[in-house]
Amino acid sequence: MAKTKKKIVIKKINWKKVAPALVLVLVLGCYYQFCNVATVNGRLISRFKYVKSMEKQIGKQTLDQMVTEALILGEAQKKGIKIEDAD
């Protein structure tokens, strides 16, 4: 009995057809990962809604703190005082 050899055929990938699908998957994955902060009961909470809510809750307090820090650092710089990051 003669043995027959089976040929293995490997098709070349047509990147012109595959690339757009890969790009779409990558874009959707990044959108899902970076534009949403949580999923609750199947519903997404977007980063935009999260930031807007945070601004309403603690926005003024945070802004006041940032202004105060900028003023203190500005004065320290004028007087030649160096503040290390660790401090």
Side-chain angles (χ1 to χ4, degrees):
M1 227 167 131
K3 291 185 177 181
T4 58
K5 290 185 177 181
K6 293 184 179 181
K7 288 186 179 181
I8 299 174
V9 179
I10 300 174
K11 293 184 178 182
K12 290 184 179 179
I13 296 173
N14 185 347
W15 288 106
K16 288 182 180 179
K17 291 182 179 179
V18 175
L22 290 175
V23 169
L24 180 64
V25 167
L26 181 65
V27 168
L28 290 175
C30 288
Y31 174 79
Y32 182 80
Q33 179 68 29
F34 297 111
C35 293
N36 298 303
V37 292
T39 304
V40 180
N41 294 332
R43 301 182 98 186
L44 297 175
I45 298 174
S46 73
R47 184 168 305 281
F48 178 75
K49 286 182 181 180
Y50 170 73
V51 170
K52 199 166 188 144
S53 177
M54 292 294 291
E55 285 176 349
K56 284 181 184 177
Q57 291 178 24
I58 60 170
K60 183 174 178 358
Q61 177 185 351
T62 302
L63 180 59
D64 288 345
Q65 180 181 346
M66 292 173 75
V67 168
T68 301
E69 286 176 10
L71 290 170
I72 292 170
L73 289 174
E75 275 301 309
Q77 199 171 32
K78 283 181 188 176
K79 294 182 180 183
I81 301 170
K82 291 185 179 183
I83 303 170
E84 299 295 326
D85 288 338
D87 295 335

